[in-house]
Amino acid sequence: MTTSTAPGTVAAGDHLATDPALRVGYAELVDFTTRVFTAYGLPQERAAVAAEALCHGDLTEVTSHGLTNLTRLYLPLFTDGRVDPGADLKVLADRGAAALVDGSQALGLWAASEAVDMAADRAAEYGVGVISVRNSTHLGCAGYHAARAVRRGMIGLVVSNCGRQRIIRPPGGRAAMLGTNPLSLAAPAGGHPPFVLDMSTTVVPTGRIRMAARAGELIPEGWLEDIDGKPVTDPGALDRGEGYLQWLGGGPQTGAYKGYGLGLLVEVLSALVPSAGLGPEPAALAGDGRPSGRDDDIGFLALVLAPASLRSREDFVADAETLFGTLLACPPLRPEEPVRYPGWHESQRAERNKMEGVPMSATLYAELCAVAAELDLAALEAKGDRP
């Protein structure tokens, strides 16, 4: 399905502005989303996990991966029969520290968190836990799932491919072969906000581009290029096949092969290992460069490390405090722009929005009210000017 965002992709700097005049309480937002998912058949406990994972994008203001995808991506999975709300994860091979799992077309928003928890349980026993998953669906913000390991003092890694959805061409290639193939690593940072790297291997995720298209806004040069390699600032060019997404690093002269290599790294770990849907398979060869295929049979890998099984927990925490505290103390070039690290800003936004309410655009609020009316659910209460 070429209109979706890539599974779990949150590029660096993926903070999108919303109208702060309209806010919804975080607990109310999660409860509402839980009720929507249960109305579509998801069991209550799973619906609550999935709702928290989806609302994480709005809480941290990474809105390209939040509730804007409820009606565009997740609910169509249910109505099209491409997700099984009652499916359980099935362990196909168990080797103690590592297991192969069939996602059974369960909702990825829940399945990815479940896989990280399974990996963390194994890491508590073996020092490392690896859960390799195939036949899954879109998992949302990969960083949300990876950060579940941090709650247990562990380090979490989540990588996901896009199933058989192809979005970007290999350098020098004519046909799209790979998805945006996100990766995320989350680690404790002592008394500081956790380190959470959550990035696409392309210069930006497609969700950023399609949000700009819906808003009628131009995009910066460097996100898309035309067939001759010239910059494209019209976001609609992506789906028209007139603008081609670029790899992290930009062009070959500025590091595109690094982004391409990372994309292949993710494809190997998340699709080749569990035997999930591959982007680069013979069907892709007939493509003309525009996005093609559907994000079916998504594969992902959840790896959790337990440092306390290898060294003193206290020493690890102290070293993490030193590492990230020293970064925060780095003298800045500009006093008004202090040095930070991935995850810091998102943590600050989450704390503020839990107290003040989650900022939401009038357009999204209207969409959620329409969903509530359709399902005969109580509408969200919002502070500020309603549409």
Side-chain angles (χ1 to χ4, degrees), residues 271-297:
L272 191 59
V273 170
S275 186
L278 293 172
E281 60 181 9
L285 297 174
D288 61 2
R290 76 182 71 191
S292 64
R294 281 201 324 190
D295 53 347
D296 290 326
D297 194 9

PDB file of all heavy atoms in Angstrom, residues 271-297:
ATOM      1  N   ALA A 271      14.308  -9.087   7.416  1.00  0.00           N
ATOM      2  CA  ALA A 271      13.571  -9.864   6.421  1.00  0.00           C
ATOM      3  C   ALA A 271      14.264 -11.158   6.034  1.00  0.00           C
ATOM      4  O   ALA A 271      13.644 -12.220   6.002  1.00  0.00           O
ATOM      5  CB  ALA A 271      13.328  -9.019   5.172  1.00  0.00           C
ATOM      6  N   LEU A 272      15.566 -11.076   5.760  1.00  0.00           N
ATOM      7  CA  LEU A 272      16.282 -12.285   5.341  1.00  0.00           C
ATOM      8  C   LEU A 272      16.370 -13.299   6.475  1.00  0.00           C
ATOM      9  O   LEU A 272      16.171 -14.506   6.268  1.00  0.00           O
ATOM     10  CB  LEU A 272      17.677 -11.904   4.851  1.00  0.00           C
ATOM     11  CG  LEU A 272      18.470 -12.999   4.127  1.00  0.00           C
ATOM     12  CD1 LEU A 272      17.723 -13.483   2.894  1.00  0.00           C
ATOM     13  CD2 LEU A 272      19.853 -12.486   3.752  1.00  0.00           C
ATOM     14  N   VAL A 273      16.641 -12.841   7.693  1.00  0.00           N
ATOM     15  CA  VAL A 273      16.771 -13.766   8.824  1.00  0.00           C
ATOM     16  C   VAL A 273      15.458 -14.500   9.117  1.00  0.00           C
ATOM     17  O   VAL A 273      15.448 -15.727   9.222  1.00  0.00           O
ATOM     18  CB  VAL A 273      17.293 -13.026  10.071  1.00  0.00           C
ATOM     19  CG1 VAL A 273      17.203 -13.921  11.316  1.00  0.00           C
ATOM     20  CG2 VAL A 273      18.737 -12.571   9.856  1.00  0.00           C
ATOM     21  N   PRO A 274      14.305 -13.794   9.241  1.00  0.00           N
ATOM     22  CA  PRO A 274      13.075 -14.519   9.567  1.00  0.00           C
ATOM     23  C   PRO A 274      12.319 -15.059   8.362  1.00  0.00           C
ATOM     24  O   PRO A 274      11.291 -15.717   8.526  1.00  0.00           O
ATOM     25  CB  PRO A 274      12.237 -13.456  10.274  1.00  0.00           C
ATOM     26  CG  PRO A 274      12.616 -12.187   9.587  1.00  0.00           C
ATOM     27  CD  PRO A 274      14.100 -12.333   9.304  1.00  0.00           C
ATOM     28  N   SER A 275      12.772 -14.774   7.130  1.00  0.00           N
ATOM     29  CA  SER A 275      12.072 -15.141   5.896  1.00  0.00           C
ATOM     30  C   SER A 275      10.768 -14.370   5.755  1.00  0.00           C
ATOM     31  O   SER A 275       9.701 -14.932   5.498  1.00  0.00           O
ATOM     32  CB  SER A 275      11.788 -16.651   5.835  1.00  0.00           C
ATOM     33  OG  SER A 275      11.243 -17.012   4.579  1.00  0.00           O
ATOM     34  N   ALA A 276      10.867 -13.044   5.910  1.00  0.00           N
ATOM     35  CA  ALA A 276       9.728 -12.154   5.695  1.00  0.00           C
ATOM     36  C   ALA A 276       9.718 -11.700   4.238  1.00  0.00           C
ATOM     37  O   ALA A 276      10.597 -12.055   3.454  1.00  0.00           O
ATOM     38  CB  ALA A 276       9.818 -10.958   6.637  1.00  0.00           C
ATOM     39  N   GLY A 277       8.727 -10.881   3.889  1.00  0.00           N
ATOM     40  CA  GLY A 277       8.642 -10.379   2.526  1.00  0.00           C
ATOM     41  C   GLY A 277       9.857  -9.533   2.171  1.00  0.00           C
ATOM     42  O   GLY A 277      10.246  -8.650   2.936  1.00  0.00           O
ATOM     43  N   LEU A 278      10.437  -9.785   1.033  1.00  0.00           N
ATOM     44  CA  LEU A 278      11.623  -9.060   0.585  1.00  0.00           C
ATOM     45  C   LEU A 278      11.242  -7.912  -0.332  1.00  0.00           C
ATOM     46  O   LEU A 278      10.386  -8.073  -1.210  1.00  0.00           O
ATOM     47  CB  LEU A 278      12.573  -9.995  -0.154  1.00  0.00           C
ATOM     48  CG  LEU A 278      13.245 -11.107   0.652  1.00  0.00           C
ATOM     49  CD1 LEU A 278      13.985 -12.053  -0.298  1.00  0.00           C
ATOM     50  CD2 LEU A 278      14.211 -10.529   1.679  1.00  0.00           C
ATOM     51  N   GLY A 279      11.906  -6.769  -0.163  1.00  0.00           N
ATOM     52  CA  GLY A 279      11.769  -5.703  -1.137  1.00  0.00           C
ATOM     53  C   GLY A 279      12.441  -6.093  -2.439  1.00  0.00           C
ATOM     54  O   GLY A 279      11.795  -6.125  -3.502  1.00  0.00           O
ATOM     55  N   PRO A 280      13.745  -6.404  -2.414  1.00  0.00           N
ATOM     56  CA  PRO A 280      14.442  -6.813  -3.640  1.00  0.00           C
ATOM     57  C   PRO A 280      14.129  -8.271  -3.997  1.00  0.00           C
ATOM     58  O   PRO A 280      14.777  -9.199  -3.534  1.00  0.00           O
ATOM     59  CB  PRO A 280      15.924  -6.644  -3.266  1.00  0.00           C
ATOM     60  CG  PRO A 280      15.943  -5.840  -2.018  1.00  0.00           C
ATOM     61  CD  PRO A 280      14.675  -6.176  -1.302  1.00  0.00           C
ATOM     62  N   GLU A 281      13.098  -8.483  -4.764  1.00  0.00           N
ATOM     63  CA  GLU A 281      12.776  -9.794  -5.324  1.00  0.00           C
ATOM     64  C   GLU A 281      12.386  -9.577  -6.781  1.00  0.00           C
ATOM     65  O   GLU A 281      12.136  -8.436  -7.202  1.00  0.00           O
ATOM     66  CB  GLU A 281      11.677 -10.493  -4.530  1.00  0.00           C
ATOM     67  CG  GLU A 281      10.361  -9.772  -4.466  1.00  0.00           C
ATOM     68  CD  GLU A 281       9.329 -10.531  -3.631  1.00  0.00           C
ATOM     69  OE1 GLU A 281       9.705 -11.519  -2.977  1.00  0.00           O
ATOM     70  OE2 GLU A 281       8.152 -10.133  -3.643  1.00  0.00           O
ATOM     71  N   PRO A 282      12.337 -10.621  -7.601  1.00  0.00           N
ATOM     72  CA  PRO A 282      12.150 -10.436  -9.041  1.00  0.00           C
ATOM     73  C   PRO A 282      10.991  -9.523  -9.440  1.00  0.00           C
ATOM     74  O   PRO A 282      11.100  -8.799 -10.435  1.00  0.00           O
ATOM     75  CB  PRO A 282      11.934 -11.869  -9.540  1.00  0.00           C
ATOM     76  CG  PRO A 282      12.765 -12.702  -8.605  1.00  0.00           C
ATOM     77  CD  PRO A 282      12.611 -12.039  -7.259  1.00  0.00           C
ATOM     78  N   ALA A 283       9.894  -9.510  -8.663  1.00  0.00           N
ATOM     79  CA  ALA A 283       8.753  -8.664  -9.027  1.00  0.00           C
ATOM     80  C   ALA A 283       9.128  -7.187  -9.042  1.00  0.00           C
ATOM     81  O   ALA A 283       8.494  -6.387  -9.729  1.00  0.00           O
ATOM     82  CB  ALA A 283       7.602  -8.896  -8.049  1.00  0.00           C
ATOM     83  N   ALA A 284      10.161  -6.817  -8.289  1.00  0.00           N
ATOM     84  CA  ALA A 284      10.563  -5.408  -8.217  1.00  0.00           C
ATOM     85  C   ALA A 284      11.237  -4.928  -9.489  1.00  0.00           C
ATOM     86  O   ALA A 284      11.294  -3.721  -9.747  1.00  0.00           O
ATOM     87  CB  ALA A 284      11.505  -5.206  -7.031  1.00  0.00           C
ATOM     88  N   LEU A 285      11.748  -5.844 -10.291  1.00  0.00           N
ATOM     89  CA  LEU A 285      12.545  -5.462 -11.456  1.00  0.00           C
ATOM     90  C   LEU A 285      11.738  -4.732 -12.519  1.00  0.00           C
ATOM     91  O   LEU A 285      12.297  -3.987 -13.328  1.00  0.00           O
ATOM     92  CB  LEU A 285      13.201  -6.703 -12.061  1.00  0.00           C
ATOM     93  CG  LEU A 285      14.199  -7.428 -11.148  1.00  0.00           C
ATOM     94  CD1 LEU A 285      14.662  -8.728 -11.800  1.00  0.00           C
ATOM     95  CD2 LEU A 285      15.388  -6.528 -10.826  1.00  0.00           C
ATOM     96  N   ALA A 286      10.426  -4.922 -12.513  1.00  0.00           N
ATOM     97  CA  ALA A 286       9.587  -4.278 -13.520  1.00  0.00           C
ATOM     98  C   ALA A 286       9.188  -2.866 -13.121  1.00  0.00           C
ATOM     99  O   ALA A 286       8.513  -2.175 -13.892  1.00  0.00           O
ATOM    100  CB  ALA A 286       8.324  -5.116 -13.753  1.00  0.00           C
ATOM    101  N   GLY A 287       9.593  -2.395 -11.963  1.00  0.00           N
ATOM    102  CA  GLY A 287       9.208  -1.070 -11.491  1.00  0.00           C
ATOM    103  C   GLY A 287       9.818   0.047 -12.309  1.00  0.00           C
ATOM    104  O   GLY A 287      10.844  -0.127 -12.973  1.00  0.00           O
ATOM    105  N   ASP A 288       9.166   1.221 -12.242  1.00  0.00           N
ATOM    106  CA  ASP A 288       9.648   2.376 -12.993  1.00  0.00           C
ATOM    107  C   ASP A 288      10.274   3.430 -12.083  1.00  0.00           C
ATOM    108  O   ASP A 288      10.547   4.550 -12.522  1.00  0.00           O
ATOM    109  CB  ASP A 288       8.505   2.998 -13.795  1.00  0.00           C
ATOM    110  CG  ASP A 288       7.356   3.491 -12.901  1.00  0.00           C
ATOM    111  OD1 ASP A 288       7.463   3.385 -11.660  1.00  0.00           O
ATOM    112  OD2 ASP A 288       6.354   3.975 -13.459  1.00  0.00           O
ATOM    113  N   GLY A 289      10.500   3.092 -10.832  1.00  0.00           N
ATOM    114  CA  GLY A 289      11.128   4.017  -9.898  1.00  0.00           C
ATOM    115  C   GLY A 289      10.186   4.583  -8.874  1.00  0.00           C
ATOM    116  O   GLY A 289      10.610   4.988  -7.792  1.00  0.00           O
ATOM    117  N   ARG A 290       8.877   4.606  -9.180  1.00  0.00           N
ATOM    118  CA  ARG A 290       7.922   5.134  -8.207  1.00  0.00           C
ATOM    119  C   ARG A 290       7.619   4.064  -7.155  1.00  0.00           C
ATOM    120  O   ARG A 290       7.901   2.872  -7.364  1.00  0.00           O
ATOM    121  CB  ARG A 290       6.650   5.590  -8.905  1.00  0.00           C
ATOM    122  CG  ARG A 290       5.727   4.483  -9.345  1.00  0.00           C
ATOM    123  CD  ARG A 290       4.516   5.016 -10.082  1.00  0.00           C
ATOM    124  NE  ARG A 290       4.894   5.518 -11.389  1.00  0.00           N
ATOM    125  CZ  ARG A 290       4.073   6.238 -12.162  1.00  0.00           C
ATOM    126  NH1 ARG A 290       2.848   6.511 -11.750  1.00  0.00           N
ATOM    127  NH2 ARG A 290       4.478   6.651 -13.348  1.00  0.00           N
ATOM    128  N   PRO A 291       7.061   4.437  -5.986  1.00  0.00           N
ATOM    129  CA  PRO A 291       6.715   3.431  -4.975  1.00  0.00           C
ATOM    130  C   PRO A 291       5.810   2.363  -5.564  1.00  0.00           C
ATOM    131  O   PRO A 291       4.889   2.646  -6.337  1.00  0.00           O
ATOM    132  CB  PRO A 291       5.994   4.254  -3.899  1.00  0.00           C
ATOM    133  CG  PRO A 291       6.577   5.620  -4.029  1.00  0.00           C
ATOM    134  CD  PRO A 291       6.794   5.810  -5.506  1.00  0.00           C
ATOM    135  N   SER A 292       6.055   1.114  -5.177  1.00  0.00           N
ATOM    136  CA  SER A 292       5.268   0.001  -5.693  1.00  0.00           C
ATOM    137  C   SER A 292       5.144  -1.069  -4.620  1.00  0.00           C
ATOM    138  O   SER A 292       5.859  -1.066  -3.618  1.00  0.00           O
ATOM    139  CB  SER A 292       5.929  -0.598  -6.952  1.00  0.00           C
ATOM    140  OG  SER A 292       7.187  -1.163  -6.624  1.00  0.00           O
ATOM    141  N   GLY A 293       4.239  -2.001  -4.836  1.00  0.00           N
ATOM    142  CA  GLY A 293       4.043  -3.096  -3.899  1.00  0.00           C
ATOM    143  C   GLY A 293       3.282  -2.661  -2.657  1.00  0.00           C
ATOM    144  O   GLY A 293       2.963  -1.489  -2.472  1.00  0.00           O
ATOM    145  N   ARG A 294       2.968  -3.636  -1.800  1.00  0.00           N
ATOM    146  CA  ARG A 294       2.257  -3.361  -0.549  1.00  0.00           C
ATOM    147  C   ARG A 294       3.104  -3.799   0.633  1.00  0.00           C
ATOM    148  O   ARG A 294       3.930  -4.701   0.534  1.00  0.00           O
ATOM    149  CB  ARG A 294       0.921  -4.129  -0.505  1.00  0.00           C
ATOM    150  CG  ARG A 294      -0.172  -3.508  -1.300  1.00  0.00           C
ATOM    151  CD  ARG A 294      -1.558  -3.939  -0.877  1.00  0.00           C
ATOM    152  NE  ARG A 294      -1.719  -5.311  -0.449  1.00  0.00           N
ATOM    153  CZ  ARG A 294      -2.921  -5.853  -0.237  1.00  0.00           C
ATOM    154  NH1 ARG A 294      -4.015  -5.143  -0.423  1.00  0.00           N
ATOM    155  NH2 ARG A 294      -3.010  -7.100   0.159  1.00  0.00           N
ATOM    156  N   ASP A 295       2.842  -3.131   1.774  1.00  0.00           N
ATOM    157  CA  ASP A 295       3.617  -3.459   2.970  1.00  0.00           C
ATOM    158  C   ASP A 295       3.022  -4.679   3.668  1.00  0.00           C
ATOM    159  O   ASP A 295       2.634  -4.639   4.825  1.00  0.00           O
ATOM    160  CB  ASP A 295       3.704  -2.247   3.913  1.00  0.00           C
ATOM    161  CG  ASP A 295       2.342  -1.663   4.243  1.00  0.00           C
ATOM    162  OD1 ASP A 295       1.348  -2.022   3.577  1.00  0.00           O
ATOM    163  OD2 ASP A 295       2.272  -0.844   5.169  1.00  0.00           O
ATOM    164  N   ASP A 296       2.964  -5.801   2.926  1.00  0.00           N
ATOM    165  CA  ASP A 296       2.530  -7.076   3.479  1.00  0.00           C
ATOM    166  C   ASP A 296       3.744  -7.888   3.916  1.00  0.00           C
ATOM    167  O   ASP A 296       4.837  -7.737   3.370  1.00  0.00           O
ATOM    168  CB  ASP A 296       1.745  -7.877   2.429  1.00  0.00           C
ATOM    169  CG  ASP A 296       0.396  -7.258   2.126  1.00  0.00           C
ATOM    170  OD1 ASP A 296      -0.220  -6.688   3.053  1.00  0.00           O
ATOM    171  OD2 ASP A 296      -0.048  -7.347   0.960  1.00  0.00           O
ATOM    172  N   ASP A 297       3.531  -8.774   4.878  1.00  0.00           N
ATOM    173  CA  ASP A 297       4.590  -9.663   5.372  1.00  0.00           C
ATOM    174  C   ASP A 297       5.819  -8.872   5.798  1.00  0.00           C
ATOM    175  O   ASP A 297       6.949  -9.163   5.411  1.00  0.00           O
ATOM    176  CB  ASP A 297       4.952 -10.698   4.303  1.00  0.00           C
ATOM    177  CG  ASP A 297       5.790 -11.842   4.864  1.00  0.00           C
ATOM    178  OD1 ASP A 297       5.954 -11.931   6.104  1.00  0.00           O
ATOM    179  OD2 ASP A 297       6.292 -12.648   4.056  1.00  0.00           O
TER     180      ASP A 297
END
